[in-house]
mmCIF file of all heavy atoms in Angstrom:
data_model
loop_
_atom_site.group_PDB
_atom_site.id
_atom_site.type_symbol
_atom_site.label_atom_id
_atom_site.label_comp_id
_atom_site.label_asym_id
_atom_site.label_seq_id
_atom_site.Cartn_x
_atom_site.Cartn_y
_atom_site.Cartn_z
ATOM 1 N N HIS A 78 6.728 2.850 -7.556
ATOM 2 C CA HIS A 78 8.002 3.447 -7.162
ATOM 3 C C HIS A 78 7.854 4.941 -6.860
ATOM 4 O O HIS A 78 8.810 5.710 -7.017
ATOM 5 C CB HIS A 78 9.049 3.232 -8.261
ATOM 6 C CG HIS A 78 9.504 1.813 -8.377
ATOM 7 N ND1 HIS A 78 8.702 0.804 -8.884
ATOM 8 C CD2 HIS A 78 10.670 1.210 -8.029
ATOM 9 C CE1 HIS A 78 9.355 -0.348 -8.860
ATOM 10 N NE2 HIS A 78 10.549 -0.127 -8.338
ATOM 11 N N ALA A 79 6.697 5.346 -6.410
ATOM 12 C CA ALA A 79 6.450 6.761 -6.139
ATOM 13 C C ALA A 79 7.374 7.275 -5.033
ATOM 14 O O ALA A 79 7.644 6.578 -4.051
ATOM 15 C CB ALA A 79 4.995 6.969 -5.736
ATOM 16 N N ARG A 80 7.851 8.485 -5.206
ATOM 17 C CA ARG A 80 8.628 9.206 -4.199
ATOM 18 C C ARG A 80 8.182 10.664 -4.190
ATOM 19 O O ARG A 80 7.684 11.163 -5.194
ATOM 20 C CB ARG A 80 10.135 9.164 -4.519
ATOM 21 C CG ARG A 80 10.812 7.805 -4.386
ATOM 22 C CD ARG A 80 12.299 7.972 -4.658
ATOM 23 N NE ARG A 80 13.035 6.724 -4.660
ATOM 24 C CZ ARG A 80 13.536 6.138 -3.579
ATOM 25 N NH1 ARG A 80 13.376 6.700 -2.405
ATOM 26 N NH2 ARG A 80 14.209 5.009 -3.670
ATOM 27 N N PRO A 81 8.385 11.374 -3.091
ATOM 28 C CA PRO A 81 8.102 12.810 -3.098
ATOM 29 C C PRO A 81 9.010 13.508 -4.103
ATOM 30 O O PRO A 81 10.168 13.106 -4.282
ATOM 31 C CB PRO A 81 8.420 13.256 -1.664
ATOM 32 C CG PRO A 81 8.445 11.993 -0.856
ATOM 33 C CD PRO A 81 8.863 10.913 -1.784
ATOM 34 N N PRO A 82 8.520 14.539 -4.784
ATOM 35 C CA PRO A 82 9.381 15.267 -5.731
ATOM 36 C C PRO A 82 10.551 15.929 -5.016
ATOM 37 O O PRO A 82 10.443 16.324 -3.845
ATOM 38 C CB PRO A 82 8.440 16.304 -6.346
ATOM 39 C CG PRO A 82 7.332 16.453 -5.357
ATOM 40 C CD PRO A 82 7.169 15.112 -4.711
ATOM 41 N N ARG A 83 11.652 16.035 -5.709
ATOM 42 C CA ARG A 83 12.835 16.671 -5.132
ATOM 43 C C ARG A 83 12.607 18.175 -4.953
ATOM 44 O O ARG A 83 11.891 18.804 -5.735
ATOM 45 C CB ARG A 83 14.060 16.456 -6.023
ATOM 46 C CG ARG A 83 14.526 15.007 -6.101
ATOM 47 C CD ARG A 83 15.772 14.888 -6.953
ATOM 48 N NE ARG A 83 16.223 13.514 -7.067
ATOM 49 C CZ ARG A 83 16.977 12.895 -6.173
ATOM 50 N NH1 ARG A 83 17.393 13.562 -5.096
ATOM 51 N NH2 ARG A 83 17.347 11.643 -6.342
ATOM 52 N N THR A 84 13.220 18.717 -3.927
ATOM 53 C CA THR A 84 13.239 20.168 -3.784
ATOM 54 C C THR A 84 14.211 20.737 -4.811
ATOM 55 O O THR A 84 14.981 19.996 -5.435
ATOM 56 C CB THR A 84 13.670 20.570 -2.367
ATOM 57 O OG1 THR A 84 14.963 19.989 -2.087
ATOM 58 C CG2 THR A 84 12.659 20.057 -1.343
ATOM 59 N N ARG A 85 14.187 22.063 -4.993
ATOM 60 C CA ARG A 85 15.040 22.724 -5.982
ATOM 61 C C ARG A 85 16.000 23.683 -5.291
ATOM 62 O O ARG A 85 15.584 24.564 -4.546
ATOM 63 C CB ARG A 85 14.177 23.489 -6.984
ATOM 64 C CG ARG A 85 13.259 22.593 -7.809
ATOM 65 C CD ARG A 85 14.009 21.893 -8.910
ATOM 66 N NE ARG A 85 13.161 20.915 -9.602
ATOM 67 C CZ ARG A 85 13.528 20.272 -10.710
ATOM 68 N NH1 ARG A 85 14.702 20.514 -11.248
ATOM 69 N NH2 ARG A 85 12.727 19.390 -11.262
ATOM 70 N N LEU A 86 17.283 23.474 -5.543
ATOM 71 C CA LEU A 86 18.305 24.363 -5.013
ATOM 72 C C LEU A 86 18.433 25.553 -5.951
ATOM 73 O O LEU A 86 18.540 25.383 -7.174
ATOM 74 C CB LEU A 86 19.632 23.623 -4.896
ATOM 75 C CG LEU A 86 20.807 24.396 -4.297
ATOM 76 C CD1 LEU A 86 20.520 24.770 -2.842
ATOM 77 C CD2 LEU A 86 22.089 23.571 -4.386
ATOM 78 N N LEU A 87 18.373 26.729 -5.402
ATOM 79 C CA LEU A 87 18.423 27.970 -6.193
ATOM 80 C C LEU A 87 17.269 28.067 -7.178
ATOM 81 O O LEU A 87 17.326 28.802 -8.158
ATOM 82 C CB LEU A 87 19.757 28.090 -6.937
ATOM 83 C CG LEU A 87 21.019 28.061 -6.072
ATOM 84 C CD1 LEU A 87 22.266 28.143 -6.933
ATOM 85 C CD2 LEU A 87 20.995 29.203 -5.051
ATOM 86 N N GLY A 88 16.240 27.289 -6.909
ATOM 87 C CA GLY A 88 15.042 27.383 -7.727
ATOM 88 C C GLY A 88 15.024 26.509 -8.965
ATOM 89 O O GLY A 88 13.981 26.370 -9.600
ATOM 90 N N PHE A 89 16.159 25.867 -9.339
ATOM 91 C CA PHE A 89 16.166 25.077 -10.573
ATOM 92 C C PHE A 89 17.043 23.831 -10.518
ATOM 93 O O PHE A 89 16.913 22.944 -11.368
ATOM 94 C CB PHE A 89 16.615 25.956 -11.761
ATOM 95 C CG PHE A 89 18.039 26.419 -11.674
ATOM 96 C CD1 PHE A 89 19.061 25.711 -12.298
ATOM 97 C CD2 PHE A 89 18.366 27.571 -10.974
ATOM 98 C CE1 PHE A 89 20.369 26.141 -12.231
ATOM 99 C CE2 PHE A 89 19.679 28.008 -10.898
ATOM 100 C CZ PHE A 89 20.684 27.289 -11.528
ATOM 101 N N ILE A 90 17.912 23.683 -9.539
ATOM 102 C CA ILE A 90 18.789 22.508 -9.451
ATOM 103 C C ILE A 90 18.086 21.439 -8.620
ATOM 104 O O ILE A 90 17.734 21.675 -7.458
ATOM 105 C CB ILE A 90 20.136 22.874 -8.800
ATOM 106 C CG1 ILE A 90 20.847 23.966 -9.596
ATOM 107 C CG2 ILE A 90 21.008 21.622 -8.684
ATOM 108 C CD1 ILE A 90 22.112 24.469 -8.936
ATOM 109 N N PRO A 91 17.842 20.236 -9.193
ATOM 110 C CA PRO A 91 17.228 19.164 -8.401
ATOM 111 C C PRO A 91 18.047 18.862 -7.149
ATOM 112 O O PRO A 91 19.260 18.702 -7.229
ATOM 113 C CB PRO A 91 17.215 17.979 -9.372
ATOM 114 C CG PRO A 91 17.274 18.596 -10.730
ATOM 115 C CD PRO A 91 18.108 19.833 -10.572
ATOM 116 N N TRP A 92 17.387 18.820 -6.000
ATOM 117 C CA TRP A 92 18.090 18.660 -4.734
ATOM 118 C C TRP A 92 17.498 17.479 -3.970
ATOM 119 O O TRP A 92 16.960 16.538 -4.568
ATOM 120 C CB TRP A 92 18.005 19.963 -3.943
ATOM 121 C CG TRP A 92 19.011 20.105 -2.842
ATOM 122 C CD1 TRP A 92 18.760 20.337 -1.526
ATOM 123 C CD2 TRP A 92 20.439 20.074 -2.967
ATOM 124 N NE1 TRP A 92 19.926 20.437 -0.814
ATOM 125 C CE2 TRP A 92 20.985 20.267 -1.666
ATOM 126 C CE3 TRP A 92 21.306 19.873 -4.034
ATOM 127 C CZ2 TRP A 92 22.356 20.279 -1.408
ATOM 128 C CZ3 TRP A 92 22.680 19.879 -3.784
ATOM 129 C CH2 TRP A 92 23.175 20.082 -2.492
ATOM 130 N N ARG A 93 17.552 17.520 -2.668
ATOM 131 C CA ARG A 93 17.093 16.405 -1.853
ATOM 132 C C ARG A 93 15.571 16.278 -1.884
ATOM 133 O O ARG A 93 14.843 17.231 -2.155
ATOM 134 C CB ARG A 93 17.540 16.587 -0.409
ATOM 135 C CG ARG A 93 19.050 16.659 -0.218
ATOM 136 C CD ARG A 93 19.391 16.739 1.254
ATOM 137 N NE ARG A 93 20.828 16.847 1.469
ATOM 138 C CZ ARG A 93 21.495 17.984 1.557
ATOM 139 N NH1 ARG A 93 20.820 19.133 1.453
ATOM 140 N NH2 ARG A 93 22.793 17.996 1.756
ATOM 141 N N ARG A 94 15.111 15.053 -1.576
ATOM 142 C CA ARG A 94 13.682 14.837 -1.395
ATOM 143 C C ARG A 94 13.314 15.234 0.038
ATOM 144 O O ARG A 94 14.107 15.057 0.958
ATOM 145 C CB ARG A 94 13.318 13.378 -1.649
ATOM 146 C CG ARG A 94 13.667 12.901 -3.062
ATOM 147 C CD ARG A 94 13.209 11.476 -3.305
ATOM 148 N NE ARG A 94 13.778 10.951 -4.533
ATOM 149 C CZ ARG A 94 13.274 11.148 -5.756
ATOM 150 N NH1 ARG A 94 12.168 11.865 -5.880
ATOM 151 N NH2 ARG A 94 13.858 10.634 -6.822
ATOM 152 N N PRO A 95 12.102 15.738 0.236
ATOM 153 C CA PRO A 95 11.731 16.208 1.581
ATOM 154 C C PRO A 95 11.607 15.100 2.611
ATOM 155 O O PRO A 95 11.787 15.347 3.810
ATOM 156 C CB PRO A 95 10.389 16.907 1.352
ATOM 157 C CG PRO A 95 9.857 16.300 0.093
ATOM 158 C CD PRO A 95 11.058 16.007 -0.754
ATOM 159 N N THR A 96 11.272 13.877 2.178
ATOM 160 C CA THR A 96 11.158 12.743 3.105
ATOM 161 C C THR A 96 11.664 11.488 2.414
ATOM 162 O O THR A 96 11.943 11.479 1.213
ATOM 163 C CB THR A 96 9.702 12.503 3.562
ATOM 164 O OG1 THR A 96 8.957 11.909 2.474
ATOM 165 C CG2 THR A 96 9.025 13.793 3.992
ATOM 166 N N SER A 97 11.729 10.406 3.184
ATOM 167 C CA SER A 97 12.161 9.106 2.653
ATOM 168 C C SER A 97 10.978 8.257 2.200
ATOM 169 O O SER A 97 11.139 7.064 1.951
ATOM 170 C CB SER A 97 12.967 8.350 3.718
ATOM 171 O OG SER A 97 12.177 8.136 4.891
ATOM 172 N N ALA A 98 9.792 8.837 2.077
ATOM 173 C CA ALA A 98 8.600 8.092 1.670
ATOM 174 C C ALA A 98 8.843 7.414 0.322
ATOM 175 O O ALA A 98 9.416 8.008 -0.589
ATOM 176 C CB ALA A 98 7.406 9.029 1.581
ATOM 177 N N TYR A 99 8.358 6.174 0.202
ATOM 178 C CA TYR A 99 8.639 5.400 -1.008
ATOM 179 C C TYR A 99 7.594 4.317 -1.174
ATOM 180 O O TYR A 99 7.095 3.756 -0.199
ATOM 181 C CB TYR A 99 10.039 4.780 -0.904
ATOM 182 C CG TYR A 99 10.486 3.997 -2.115
ATOM 183 C CD1 TYR A 99 10.397 4.531 -3.403
ATOM 184 C CD2 TYR A 99 11.016 2.724 -1.983
ATOM 185 C CE1 TYR A 99 10.817 3.818 -4.515
ATOM 186 C CE2 TYR A 99 11.450 1.992 -3.083
ATOM 187 C CZ TYR A 99 11.345 2.550 -4.353
ATOM 188 O OH TYR A 99 11.760 1.836 -5.442
ATOM 189 N N GLY A 100 7.265 4.032 -2.424
ATOM 190 C CA GLY A 100 6.409 2.902 -2.739
ATOM 191 C C GLY A 100 4.929 3.222 -2.710
ATOM 192 O O GLY A 100 4.503 4.361 -2.556
ATOM 193 N N TYR A 101 4.124 2.164 -2.877
ATOM 194 C CA TYR A 101 2.674 2.314 -2.944
ATOM 195 C C TYR A 101 2.114 3.048 -1.726
ATOM 196 O O TYR A 101 1.223 3.890 -1.852
ATOM 197 C CB TYR A 101 2.012 0.942 -3.023
ATOM 198 C CG TYR A 101 2.080 0.265 -4.360
ATOM 199 C CD1 TYR A 101 2.762 -0.943 -4.517
ATOM 200 C CD2 TYR A 101 1.428 0.796 -5.473
ATOM 201 C CE1 TYR A 101 2.804 -1.590 -5.746
ATOM 202 C CE2 TYR A 101 1.468 0.155 -6.703
ATOM 203 C CZ TYR A 101 2.149 -1.043 -6.835
ATOM 204 O OH TYR A 101 2.185 -1.687 -8.048
ATOM 205 N N ALA A 102 2.598 2.701 -0.543
ATOM 206 C CA ALA A 102 2.048 3.251 0.696
ATOM 207 C C ALA A 102 2.835 4.447 1.204
ATOM 208 O O ALA A 102 2.497 4.997 2.254
ATOM 209 C CB ALA A 102 1.996 2.175 1.778
ATOM 210 N N GLN A 103 3.878 4.861 0.465
ATOM 211 C CA GLN A 103 4.730 5.980 0.876
ATOM 212 C C GLN A 103 5.227 5.814 2.313
ATOM 213 O O GLN A 103 5.236 6.757 3.111
ATOM 214 C CB GLN A 103 3.986 7.305 0.708
ATOM 215 C CG GLN A 103 3.758 7.693 -0.752
ATOM 216 C CD GLN A 103 5.054 7.990 -1.488
ATOM 217 O OE1 GLN A 103 5.588 9.083 -1.411
ATOM 218 N NE2 GLN A 103 5.576 6.997 -2.207
ATOM 219 N N ALA A 104 5.646 4.611 2.625
ATOM 220 C CA ALA A 104 6.174 4.331 3.959
ATOM 221 C C ALA A 104 7.537 4.993 4.127
ATOM 222 O O ALA A 104 8.403 4.896 3.257
ATOM 223 C CB ALA A 104 6.295 2.822 4.167
ATOM 224 N N LEU A 105 7.732 5.679 5.242
ATOM 225 C CA LEU A 105 9.014 6.288 5.557
ATOM 226 C C LEU A 105 10.013 5.221 5.994
ATOM 227 O O LEU A 105 9.634 4.173 6.518
ATOM 228 C CB LEU A 105 8.849 7.323 6.665
ATOM 229 C CG LEU A 105 7.937 8.515 6.347
ATOM 230 C CD1 LEU A 105 7.726 9.342 7.615
ATOM 231 C CD2 LEU A 105 8.515 9.365 5.244
ATOM 232 N N ASP A 106 11.296 5.516 5.819
ATOM 233 C CA ASP A 106 12.335 4.551 6.180
ATOM 234 C C ASP A 106 12.209 4.043 7.622
ATOM 235 O O ASP A 106 12.258 2.830 7.854
ATOM 236 C CB ASP A 106 13.724 5.159 5.970
ATOM 237 C CG ASP A 106 14.099 5.269 4.499
ATOM 238 O OD1 ASP A 106 13.359 4.727 3.643
ATOM 239 O OD2 ASP A 106 15.135 5.906 4.197
ATOM 240 N N PRO A 107 12.051 4.924 8.631
ATOM 241 C CA PRO A 107 11.969 4.413 10.014
ATOM 242 C C PRO A 107 10.758 3.513 10.239
ATOM 243 O O PRO A 107 10.866 2.476 10.906
ATOM 244 C CB PRO A 107 11.885 5.688 10.856
ATOM 245 C CG PRO A 107 12.467 6.757 10.003
ATOM 246 C CD PRO A 107 12.073 6.395 8.606
ATOM 247 N N ALA A 108 9.600 3.907 9.693
ATOM 248 C CA ALA A 108 8.392 3.095 9.870
ATOM 249 C C ALA A 108 8.535 1.758 9.153
ATOM 250 O O ALA A 108 8.108 0.716 9.666
ATOM 251 C CB ALA A 108 7.165 3.846 9.360
ATOM 252 N N TRP A 109 9.148 1.778 7.970
ATOM 253 C CA TRP A 109 9.337 0.526 7.230
ATOM 254 C C TRP A 109 10.307 -0.400 7.966
ATOM 255 O O TRP A 109 10.094 -1.617 8.027
ATOM 256 C CB TRP A 109 9.836 0.811 5.818
ATOM 257 C CG TRP A 109 9.932 -0.410 4.973
ATOM 258 C CD1 TRP A 109 11.060 -1.044 4.563
ATOM 259 C CD2 TRP A 109 8.832 -1.175 4.442
ATOM 260 N NE1 TRP A 109 10.749 -2.152 3.806
ATOM 261 C CE2 TRP A 109 9.393 -2.251 3.717
ATOM 262 C CE3 TRP A 109 7.453 -1.049 4.510
ATOM 263 C CZ2 TRP A 109 8.600 -3.201 3.064
ATOM 264 C CZ3 TRP A 109 6.663 -1.997 3.860
ATOM 265 C CH2 TRP A 109 7.247 -3.055 3.149
ATOM 266 N N ALA A 110 11.360 0.172 8.533
ATOM 267 C CA ALA A 110 12.300 -0.638 9.311
ATOM 268 C C ALA A 110 11.606 -1.259 10.516
ATOM 269 O O ALA A 110 11.852 -2.417 10.859
ATOM 270 C CB ALA A 110 13.481 0.224 9.762
#
Side-chain angles (χ1 to χ4, degrees):
H78 289 71
R80 291 183 184 274
R83 293 182 181 277
T84 57
R85 297 282 173 172
L86 183 64
L87 302 178
F89 66 94
I90 301 174
W92 198 236
R93 300 184 182 91
R94 300 184 192 276
T96 74
S97 60
Y99 182 50
Y101 284 117
Q103 290 294 277
L105 298 172
D106 286 351
W109 185 252

